C-alpha cells in the first residue's frame, strides 16, 4: 500500500497543469485635499551692523530659508516679525523688528516687506527671509540673541 500511495502521489505531481490562467485589475485610488506645508530649510544668522542693529543681510549674517509646498490654489504666505527676542542678555531694551523676503520656484517674487502676504503658486516655493533688529535708543551688548519669525501659509 505504501508503494501504491507513493506511485499515486508521483503520478499526481507529474500531471501537466490543464487549468487556464486568469487576470484582473486591482484598482488603487486616492482622494487628496488641498494642502500647504512649510519646511524650515535653514536658520538665519544675525550679524552686527553698527552698535544698535542686528541684521541677517549684514556682512557675516545669513538669511533664513523656508520651503513652502502647496497642492492647490488660493493659499497665501505671510511673515510675522517677532515682538521681542526669545533669547537675549539681561538688560536688552526695546527692539523694533522688520522682515523682508523673496521667493523662487512655484512662486517667484523679488524682495518685498514681510508685512505683505503673497498668493502662492501650486508646487514648491523657496522663501529667503531676512530679519533686521534695531535697538530703540540703545546698543546690543555681548551675549546670545535669538528671534523667531513666524512663517504662515493659509
Amino acid at each position: 500500500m505504501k508503494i501504491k500511495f507513493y506511485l499515486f502521489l508521483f503520478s499526481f505531481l507529474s500531471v501537466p497543469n490543464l487549468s487556464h490562467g486568469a487576470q484582473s485589475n486591482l484598482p488603487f485610488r486616492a482622494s487628496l485635499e488641498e494642502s500647504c506645508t512649510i519646511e524650515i530649510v535653514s536658520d538665519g544668522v544675525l550679524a552686527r551692523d553698527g552698535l544698535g542693529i542686528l541684521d541677517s543681510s549684514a556682512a557675516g549674517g545669513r538669511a533664513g530659508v523656508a520651503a513652502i509646498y502647496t497642492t492647490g490654489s488660493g493659499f497665501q504666505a505671510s511673515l510675522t516679525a517677532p515682538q521681542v527676542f526669545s533669547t537675549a542678555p539681561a538688560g536688552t531694551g526695546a527692539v523694533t523688528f522688520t522682515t523682508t523676503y523673496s521667493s523662487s520656484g512655484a512662486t517667484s517674487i523679488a524682495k518685498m516687506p514681510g508685512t505683505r502676504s503673497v498668493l502662492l503658486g501650486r508646487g514648491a516655493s523657496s522663501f529667503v527671509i531676512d530679519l533686521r533688529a534695531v535697538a530703540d535708543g540703545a546698543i546690543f551688548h555681548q551675549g546670545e540673541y535669538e528671534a523667531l519669525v513666524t512663517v504662515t501659509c493659509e
Side-chain angles (χ1 to χ4, degrees), residues 34-116:
E34 292 181 336
S35 66
C36 187
T37 305
I38 301 169
E39 173 189 6
I40 303 303
V41 176
S42 63
D43 296 347
V45 175
L46 293 171
R48 186 179 292 278
D49 186 15
L51 295 175
I53 299 174
L54 297 175
D55 196 332
S56 62
S57 61
R62 183 181 69 227
V65 179
I68 301 180
Y69 306 98
T70 58
T71 62
S73 59
F75 288 104
Q76 290 188 340
S78 62
L79 302 178
T80 303
Q83 297 295 311
V84 297
F85 283 106
S86 54
T87 302
T92 299
V95 177
T96 302
F97 293 93
T98 55
T99 57
T100 57
Y101 66 98
S102 58
S103 176
S104 61
T107 306
S108 182
I109 55 170
K111 195 169 203 171
M112 67 186 308
T115 55
R116 294 190 52 200

